[in-house]
Amino acid sequence: MTKKKSEISRRQFLSSSACAALGVAGNSLLKSGPLWGAQAENKRKVALVGTGIRGSGTWGKALLENYGDVLEMVGLCDINPKRLEYAKKYMGAECPTFVDFKKMIESTKPDTIIVTTTDCFHSKYICLAMEMGCDVITEKPLATDENLCQNILDAEKRTGKNLIVTFNYRYSPEAIKIKEILMSKEIGEVTSVDFNYYLDIYHGASYFRRWHGFKQFSGSLLVHKATHHYDLMNWWLAAEPVEVNAYGELRKYGHNGNFRSGQCRDCPHKGKCEFFWDITRNEHLMKLYVNAESADGYIRDACVFRKRINIWDTMNVQVQYHNRVTMSYSLNAFMPYEGYFVGFNGTKGRLDARVYHSQPWKTESMADFRITQNFGKTKTFGLTSEGGGHWGADRVMQDRIFRKPGEDLLGQGAGSRDGALSILIGIAARRSIEQERPFKVEELVKI
Ligand SMILES: NC(=O)c1ccc[n+]([C@@H]2O[C@H](COP(=O)([O-])OP(=O)(O)OC[C@H]3O[C@@H](n4cnc5c(N)ncnc54)[C@H](O)[C@@H]3O)[C@@H](O)[C@H]2O)c1
């Protein structure tokens, strides 16, 4: 297989239809800034679709506990009425519940919809909400394929509504430190990046137990998970991706298992399976998922060795950006520890960051940094975590969205363009693997 090197200049890229659809390069602030601030006289009316673990927790219970003074939850929607009822109780919400999304908007008239469904349905609800006059806050990934992405960009343009994509990783302490170092130009202009992301045998495996294991639902981990990483890189570099080349393999999960079953709970192999996971030990998960199984057949502890699993667990991606920066990225989903290594090669030196999310050994810091000048000195330092959801990032991001605490100096707020540019790397990578050729981002999304 021969893959042709892309030679595309910044000017060519800016004139391309994809770029025209997505706007100019650089970090975009939200079109009209955060939705509302602490000074809001009237509470903002919010409704949520997708009452799973993320919807009922971060965007449900935590939202009501922390921002009840500026917002009111007016409706909850999910296709599973049993999960919906439990989630409502768990959140402490007092609003009506719906299985029909349109009916929820018609009868509760929310200002803002929060989308936390299975990934492949984000686009449907984002578009419907905007068409029905609502602003939208959506969980990542923005969408799972190029057509769904295009639908969102078109709907936003048509309706003029505001869309926020909740890239919480931008608010983690180490991500902010990296952004600040790059902006200071301490290592000069970045020319290339090495970025290796590791999901461990617990968190990585969790994706293979659920809908994430199927491209049709998650777009693969190159979209579902890597959208975070691509967004970080686009934001860190203030650059737009132009061309993507990728390889992907399924080496551990799915058809690779020597035995399999439907789900862990009643598995005859539980005594010998290294991925056996006992959901019955978690009361909240039992109520949220197992007690609701009869309504939609969603099995939360499904077998990681199901033969139908069609995503990759071993992925390598090369990305070329509009400013000639190149990135080598890898994502592996069965590692003994979790976190990432990132190295920025600059014209004046190199920045290395090693970020630990979980590992079997004790570490003082959550991230270790090294900055080395060409022909000069090297310095090291560590960072510690604030604690809380996603290293404290969820709360900081929600404060930024709901309380508007001043200017967004680092450009952390993310809109549709940021959401699109990050998934488009993953979608291009998926297409590259499937069709065994490099993919230009402009091939995927047109006006
Ligand atoms: N930013 C983050 O760090 C982060 C963390 C976790 C999850 N997420 C995102 O949050 C979303 C939800 O993830 P989760 O882990 O809670 O998944 P989940 O499976 O627990 O919840 C998904 C919910 O969507 C519902 N649903 C499925 N199809 C639907 C449809 N057509 N209409 C309405 N509801 C439907 C399901 O019944 C379920 O309640 C995903 O998009 C995921 O990417 C983001």
Side-chain angles (χ1 to χ4, degrees), residues 168 171-173 385-398:
N168 47 350
Y171 298 84
S172 63
S385 166
E386 300 282 308
H390 292 103
W391 329 282
D394 286 340
R395 186 69 195 271
V396 182
M397 176 184 68
Q398 289 183 329

Side-chain angles (χ1 to χ4, degrees), residues 21-22 31 115 119-128 130-131 136 138-139 141-165 415-417 419-420 423 445:
L22 297 168
K31 230 175 6 187
V115 179
D119 299 350
C120 60
F121 302 113
H122 289 184
S123 167
K124 168 185 165 183
Y125 291 121
I126 292 169
C127 293
L128 255 175
M130 292 195 292
E131 297 290 358
V136 179
T138 185
E139 260 302 349
L142 180 66
T144 46
D145 71 29
E146 54 274 49
N147 297 325
L148 296 172
C149 177
Q150 185 73 66
N151 291 347
I152 294 170
L153 296 174
D154 292 346
E156 187 187 36
K157 198 168 169 208
R158 203 165 49 241
T159 61
K161 300 313 293 183
N162 200 332
L163 175 61
I164 290 177
V165 184
S416 59
R417 174 181 156 278
I423 53 169
V445 173

Side-chain angles (χ1 to χ4, degrees), residues 353-370:
R354 168 73 177 94
V355 179
Y356 311 93
H357 289 158
S358 64
Q359 62 286 322
W361 66 90
K362 215 170 152 40
T363 48
E364 291 299 317
S365 55
M366 74 166 291
D368 290 329
F369 284 75
R370 178 180 291 277

Side-chain angles (χ1 to χ4, degrees), residues 49-55 78-80 83 116-119 121-122 125 139-141 166 168-169 210-211 224 228 289 296 298 390:
V49 59
T51 57
I53 192 83
R54 186 77 173 159
D78 199 286
I79 42 162
N80 187 319
R83 183 154 38 252
T116 50
T117 63
T118 303
D119 299 350
F121 302 113
H122 289 184
Y125 291 121
E139 260 302 349
K140 46 53 62 172
T166 56
N168 47 350
Y169 282 32
R210 302 182 270 165
W211 48 263
H224 171 83
H228 274 308
Y289 297 108
D296 62 2
Y298 176 8
H390 292 103

Side-chain angles (χ1 to χ4, degrees), residues 259-273 276:
F259 47 77
R260 56 190 46 78
S261 174
Q263 63 199 69
C264 285
R265 252 166 297 157
D266 55 11
C267 179
H269 311 290
K270 61 171 79 160
K272 63 178 176 190
C273 181
F276 171 68

Side-chain angles (χ1 to χ4, degrees), residues 45-51 72-79 84 91 95-117 125-126 128-129 132 134-136:
K45 289 167 72 179
V46 172
L48 179 141
V49 59
T51 57
E72 180 190 358
M73 188 67 78
V74 297
L76 296 171
C77 175
D78 199 286
I79 42 162
L84 198 46
M91 289 180 202
C95 57
T97 57
F98 301 83
V99 287
D100 183 326
F101 181 73
K102 273 188 177 171
K103 215 176 255 175
M104 174 171 79
I105 296 190
E106 280 160 6
S107 61
T108 65
K109 306 213 171 357
D111 303 303
T112 301
I113 293 291
I114 299 177
V115 179
T116 50
T117 63
Y125 291 121
I126 292 169
L128 255 175
M132 294 180 77
C134 305
D135 290 325
V136 179

